[in-house]
Amino acid sequence: MKKISLFVTCICFQLSIQASSFSIDINIKGERTKYLVLSYVNFYGINIDDTSYNNNGLCHFSGSIHEPQKVSIKSNLAGRSVEDKNSLDFFMENTEMHITLLEDAFPD
């Protein structure tokens, strides 16, 4: 009986992890961006800096978070001024997202 109970608990835990995943597809309009870094806190409370390399204008991130949270995407390009940090902050939740980034207007 203990084995069955443990097995059911493991299945429920695995399903809860799968149900709380996110996916972000980013279309990059420009040629100088080589990679993007997504910073967030994952499902287990660990700070993650996930890197995705530009593959013909596309970057993809996936993972899991515990609750909606503010995340940051940064590019490899240096900012032109103090105000332009080539980063984008937004709230993310466990869902599928599609983003288009313009190289010369990154925060837009």
Side-chain angles (χ1 to χ4, degrees), residues 14-31:
Q14 184 65 26
L15 290 175
S16 70
I17 290 174
Q18 291 174 352
S20 63
S21 63
F22 68 85
S23 173
I24 301 175
D25 292 319
I26 300 174
N27 186 6
I28 301 170
K29 301 291 185 184
E31 299 176 359

Side-chain angles (χ1 to χ4, degrees), residues 73-96:
I73 294 179
K74 296 178 184 162
S75 78
N76 64 297
L77 301 176
R80 294 176 294 210
S81 69
V82 175
E83 291 84 25
D84 178 20
K85 298 185 170 134
N86 265 337
S87 67
L88 174 66
D89 296 331
F90 61 96
F91 280 93
M92 180 177 69
E93 58 186 48
N94 288 317
T95 187
E96 184 176 325

Side-chain angles (χ1 to χ4, degrees), residues 4-68:
I4 293 173
S5 174
L6 181 61
F7 179 73
V8 171
T9 303
C10 290
I11 289 175
C12 290
F13 182 74
Q14 184 65 26
L15 290 175
S16 70
I17 290 174
Q18 291 174 352
S20 63
S21 63
F22 68 85
S23 173
I24 301 175
D25 292 319
I26 300 174
N27 186 6
I28 301 170
K29 301 291 185 184
E31 299 176 359
R32 298 178 301 140
T33 302
K34 302 299 180 202
Y35 63 86
L36 297 174
V37 178
L38 175 67
S39 300
Y40 66 98
V41 178
N42 74 0
F43 187 81
Y44 301 104
I46 299 171
N47 291 328
I48 302 292
D49 290 325
D50 191 7
T51 303
S52 179
Y53 290 92
N54 185 346
N55 185 10
N56 296 324
L58 298 174
C59 286
H60 176 78
F61 296 99
S62 61
S64 61
I65 57 176
H66 183 64
E67 59 189 4

